[in-house]
Structures are given as structure tokens and as C-alpha cells.
């Protein structure tokens, strides 16, 4: 069935390897999935006083984008063995006001990527911890810690390593099935 997936990328930089990874994942997905990359960089840090004063327009736009999606794909680097602040801020913004979280019940998947060998394991599991609280049923298998990102893409941005390309396809096939099992009817 046709589903829309909000894609949240934890890196803000233009030449982000994780953005390339997100693009490679989207390109490998089944045609019933439509993707919308939701930009995180222009949202003020979450502050309940701003909420009380009338939420910033960037928060409201973000909440609307997430609310209209059927599912969530997180693609992120690891910062200091945890979730980059921009992505954590997005989680916090979407979780409030209390009782109106836009995350609630939407199926999700996490792919972490790093030039290093560990593939963002720490960020992956810290993010998973927040998503438990936010009631996002998050795909468990295949686990997706993509190491060696610095060498993964050729100059045109294509995945240069066949085995990794196949793994990305496998992730997206499993995610499509996960969405069908867990999305709101
Ligand atoms: C990093 N990087 C990093 N890498 C990693 O594997 N584990 C880590 O804990 C960290 N910590 C970290 C902190 C900060 C503040 C920065 C800026 C970077 C390196 C990081 O994986 C690398 O810069 C990636 O290229 C970032 O992803 P994008 O921006 O290319 O998508």
C-alpha cells in the first residue's frame, strides 16, 4: 500500500555522507514508499517558554510534516557516541505539547553511518532509547550500522561497494514490510 515516509537526517552539513546514505536508501526502496526529507537545521532549541508564548513557525511546520507521514526513517551520524543535537532537538520538538506528540505509533527504522568502523552504534542505540519512550515501533532487524562511509560513494554519489548496496536494499525491503505490519490502517 502507498505510504509516505519522513526522512530525518542527523547531519546538517551540505556534503554530509549520511545524506548520501539516505539518498542511496531511498533509491533502493519499493515504489509504494514516497519519501520526504524533513530539514532539521532551522528549528530553535526546544524551550517550553517559547511553546507557552506561541510556538515558533519552524516547530509548527516540522510537527505538521511529521504528523502527515505514515512512517519515519532516521539516518544519522554519531556525535560523541550519541545522537547529534539537531536530531535530538527534533525529537524533543515533536514530542510536545504533552499529549500531542507527533511521533506516537509511527513505525520507524534507524540507519547510522560513520567513516569509522563502528558505524554509529552508540548513536543508533541512544536514538532507539528515545524512540521507545516516544512509542515509535522501531525495526530491530537488520541492524544497520554502516561503517567506512568515507569510501562508500563514488564521485557521482553512487554506492561503490556492491555488498553494501545489497545490504541497503535489504534494509529497505525489511522496512517496507515493517511499515505494513505497524502503520495505522
Ligand atoms: C564526530 N564523528 C564521530 N564518528 C563516530 O564514529 N563516532 C563519534 O562518536 C563521532 N563523534 C563526532 C563528534 C562530532 C562533534 C563530529 C562533528 C563528528 C565523526 C563523524 O562520524 C564524521 O564527521 C561524519 O562524516 C559525520 O557525518 P556526515 O556529516 O558526513 O553525515
Amino acid at each position: 500500500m502507498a505510504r509516505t515516509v519522513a526522512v530525518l537526517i542527523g547531519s546538517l552539513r551540505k556534503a554530509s555522507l549520511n545524506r548520501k546514505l539516505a539518498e542511496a536508501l531511498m533509491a533502493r526502496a519499493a515504489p509504494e514508499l514516497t519519501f520526504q526529507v524533513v530539514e532539521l537545521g532551522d528549528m530553535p532549541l526546544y524551550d517550553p517558554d517559547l511553546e507557552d508564548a506561541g510556538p515558533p513557525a519552524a516547530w509548527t511546520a516540522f510537527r505538521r510534516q511529521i504528523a502527515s507521514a505514515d512512517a519515519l526513517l532516521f539516518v544519522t551520524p554519531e556525535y560523541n557516541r550519541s545522537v547529534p543535537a539537531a536530531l535530538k532537538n527534533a525529537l524533543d520538538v515533536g514530542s510536545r505539547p504533552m499529549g500531542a506528540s507527533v511521533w506516537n505509533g509511527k513505525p520507524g527504522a534507524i540507519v547510522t553511518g560513520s567513516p569509522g568502523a563502528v558505524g554509529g552504534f552508540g548513536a543508533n542505540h541512544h536514538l532507539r532509547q528515545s524512540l521507545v519512550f516516544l512509542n515509535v515501533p522501531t525495526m530491530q532487524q537488520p541492524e544497520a550500522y554502516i561503517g567506512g562511509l568515507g569510501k562508500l560513494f563514488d564521485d557521482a554519489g553512487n554506492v561503490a561497494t556492491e555488498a553494501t548496496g545489497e545490504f541497503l536494499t535489504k534494509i529497505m525491503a525489511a522496512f517496507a514490510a515493517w511499515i505494513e505490519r505497524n502503520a495505522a490502517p
Side-chain angles (χ1 to χ4, degrees), residues 27-74:
R28 284 168 170 75
E32 60 264 30
L33 299 185
T34 307
F35 296 92
Q36 186 183 20
V37 176
V38 181
E39 301 298 339
L40 313 180
D42 60 353
M43 284 195 285
L45 288 178
Y46 189 74
D47 174 349
D49 289 343
L50 292 184
E51 192 88 79
D52 294 345
W59 290 3
T60 304
F62 174 76
R63 288 166 175 162
R64 282 208 191 104
Q65 283 177 293
I66 300 298
S68 68
D70 297 309
L72 310 163
L73 175 62
F74 297 89

Side-chain angles (χ1 to χ4, degrees), residues 4 11 20 46 70 84 105 111 132 148 152 157 172 177:
T4 57
S11 171
K20 286 187 184 141
Y46 189 74
D70 297 309
V111 180
V132 170
L152 186 58
M172 294 313 282

Side-chain angles (χ1 to χ4, degrees), residues 132-153:
V132 170
F133 183 66
L134 295 171
N135 195 31
V136 172
T138 305
M139 186 170 77
Q140 288 121 334
Q141 293 290 341
E143 296 171 281
Y145 321 111
I146 313 296
L149 266 196
K151 293 186 181 147
L152 186 58
F153 303 102

Side-chain angles (χ1 to χ4, degrees), residues 9 17-29 35 73 75 149 152-153 157-160 164-165 167-169 172:
I9 300 169
L17 296 167
N18 282 277
R19 188 170 283 265
K20 286 187 184 141
L21 180 58
E23 281 159 8
L25 288 160
M26 291 187 268
R28 284 168 170 75
F35 296 92
L73 175 62
V75 184
L149 266 196
L152 186 58
F153 303 102
N158 300 311
V159 175
T164 306
F167 183 51
L168 301 185
T169 304
M172 294 313 282

